[in-house]
Amino acid sequence: MERDVDGRPGAPLPLLVVDGANVVGSVPDGWWRDRLGAAERLRDALVGAAADGVPGVPGPLEVVLVVEGAARDVTGVPGVRVVSAPGSGDDRIVELVAAEAASAPGRRLLVATADRELRGRVTALGAEPLGPRTVRRPSPGRTGRPDGPDLPNLPG
């Protein structure tokens, strides 16, 4: 779907690429006991980001969750496309951002990760890095993150 800032057809939606392993691993909530389930919970939480946006970037957004390792079997849902990395998730994210930067110059590209090296690599391609907390949204009626303990929300 394409639209411009005013909602007119033409410009592509901002693209948010999420480093699944890094974002899941940013909260020590036991994710290591069920990596697939943790990635699925993150995917489900990202549906809201696709519709509503993230702080500083109003929705709708195109959201791509990059998974690797034990989470490779996660499937997409409406609003969130899942890309399985055959090797390094970071390398796959860089490939996605580079391809998008080349095919849609001027499109707003966002990457959610805390990985400093990855942040540098995607920034060099024109993407804006976001912290993991930017995309971890609380469930209705909770003050914590959707797959973590009930903690106060902190800025990304």
Side-chain angles (χ1 to χ4, degrees), residues 61-117:
L61 307 175
E62 179 182 348
V63 176
V64 176
L65 172 62
V66 176
V67 295
E68 61 186 282
R72 278 197 194 114
D73 292 332
V74 173
T75 59
V77 296
V80 180
R81 180 167 56 109
V82 177
V83 173
S84 180
S88 162
D90 290 1
D91 289 345
R92 186 67 180 115
I93 290 167
V94 170
E95 290 169 6
L96 289 168
V97 170
E100 198 57 39
S103 68
R107 182 178 192 188
R108 191 164 184 190
L109 305 172
L110 310 153
V111 176
T113 186
D115 182 310
R116 285 186 184 147
E117 181 182 343

Side-chain angles (χ1 to χ4, degrees), residues 26-87:
S26 69
V27 176
D29 61 0
W31 59 263
W32 51 89
R33 291 187 295 269
D34 180 13
R35 293 169 194 256
L36 178 63
E40 288 172 336
R41 288 187 299 277
L42 174 59
R43 174 206 58 203
D44 295 346
L46 290 171
V47 171
D52 303 332
V54 294
V57 186
L61 307 175
E62 179 182 348
V63 176
V64 176
L65 172 62
V66 176
V67 295
E68 61 186 282
R72 278 197 194 114
D73 292 332
V74 173
T75 59
V77 296
V80 180
R81 180 167 56 109
V82 177
V83 173
S84 180

